[in-house]
Amino acid sequence: MRRTMVAVSVVIASRDPGPALVGLVRSLDAQTLPAAEFEVVVADDSTDGSAGRLLELEGRRSNVVVVAAAPDADRLALARRHASGDHVLELDQDLRLAPRALELLLDRARESGVAVVRGRVAGGRGRRIALVRAGAETSEVVDLDSGYACALQDVEPVPVPDGVAITAATIRWESGLLRVDAGVTGHGGEARLLVANDVVELEVPATLGDGTASAALDLRTAEAGRPLGDGVWSLRLRLSTPAGLVDLPLPSGRRVAAVIDGRPSVVRAGESGAEVDAGATATPVAGAAPRETATVVESARGILLTLDQPALHVHGDGELDARLLLDSFALRARLVCRDGSARVEALASSLAGVSRIALGVGGGKPVQTGLRLRVDGVGAMTVEAVPPSKPKAPPAAPAGPPRLVQRIRRRAPEPLEPVVRRLSRVPVLRRAYRSLMAR
């Protein structure tokens, strides 16, 4: 029975793919293009057990077709003959597709009207994949944004040659962009900012001048015109060297947060260097609040507590859900971003007493603001700075060796203990004992 036509046929020639099959299948399952719009056609002549796994996959996925191939057959040509898509993408078994690859390639093909759209392969050293319109008679070709890697290939990284290093780096938000300036040595004249996670790699052009590489990342259009996906992305610098392209992690600095057109993101320190948490999925956005601008105002809705967030970079207007914690008591709040500044607003309520104020915006644990709320017996509220902690007392010096009388006292036989206790109640003897202990 003839299958329904789909927009894209992904054709794969498979032979003993081994563990690579798992990564390939997962990348196909993660595609943002709906499964109803693409099919996967695999021509296979494996002898390592992969054929059975592919047949199981075909039974579970309505858009997967597995074709058994003879050992001497042209597997790729066989897979193409079974394809029913308007466009065909040939994919090697050692590659993994980026989640938006099919969607971006297909959109570019439809917008441009050309027969062939190519995408970069990360780690492929110039290798590309191509989406080709079925039955096309023209060879006109366009390339997808070269910064977005449509597919990933696992390769051994190039060792960093001696003398190639990042000497210092500054990462900051400016006018809605994430700007990076890094001092570099030993480079070969080309540099790119590399933004990556486990399934996507993005390259951002960088300029080089006076030993400094500079780049600007727009999170709103980072993925070939689409917003950078939610989650944590590593930030590295890719430099050309005589040994090849090498990737160097950017040094970690302080946490720097921003809200761009209502979407939060945070630059933070990761285990191997600087990272950006797009969407603030695992990192708090809020921080310390100045006492001078904190306000408590009575209104018809209740008592409105407002805390400014001067360290937060704001570009565009927006509001985010937030939490304001008075010690462990949580109140609903809003992070309001207007005219380049941000503030947290909450309707406050609390029993008499003093409570430390913390803010929860984004992921991660709430952050202490350095302020506390004092409520008196009649319900009046004031905001105070948390006083500095008193320094801890230095640890006591270790005691010296016990004196002679102490050693004798500690060795008193247990049957004599009642006698010793009775004698200790005699004032004259007690004073004499203390005098001897002090010697």
Side-chain angles (χ1 to χ4, degrees), residues 307-327:
L307 304 176
D308 286 345
Q309 291 288 286
L312 187 60
H313 176 76
V314 174
H315 185 84
D317 297 341
E319 293 190 13
L320 298 173
D321 291 331
R323 291 179 297 147
L324 186 145
L325 286 86
L326 301 175
D327 288 338

Side-chain angles (χ1 to χ4, degrees), residues 31 42 56 86 99 143 180 210 236 273 281 356 389 400 404 408:
Q31 291 302 299
V42 184
E56 290 178 5
D86 297 328
D143 289 328
V180 176
D210 298 327
R236 290 172 285 170
T281 60
R356 288 178 178 256
S389 302
L404 176 61
I408 294 173

Side-chain angles (χ1 to χ4, degrees), residues 205-217:
T207 59
L208 276 169
D210 298 327
T212 300
S214 301
L217 173 66

Side-chain angles (χ1 to χ4, degrees), residues 49-95:
S50 297
R53 288 185 290 162
L54 286 168
L55 290 173
E56 290 178 5
L57 181 67
E58 181 183 31
R60 296 194 304 267
R61 306 284 199 281
S62 60
N63 65 336
V64 174
V65 177
V66 178
V67 182
D72 58 348
D74 183 340
R75 288 165 289 127
L76 201 55
L78 179 61
R80 282 198 301 265
R81 287 199 298 272
H82 285 77
S84 64
D86 297 328
H87 297 79
V88 176
L89 175 70
E90 296 180 3
L91 189 64
D92 291 342
Q93 65 182 20
D94 64 338
L95 298 182

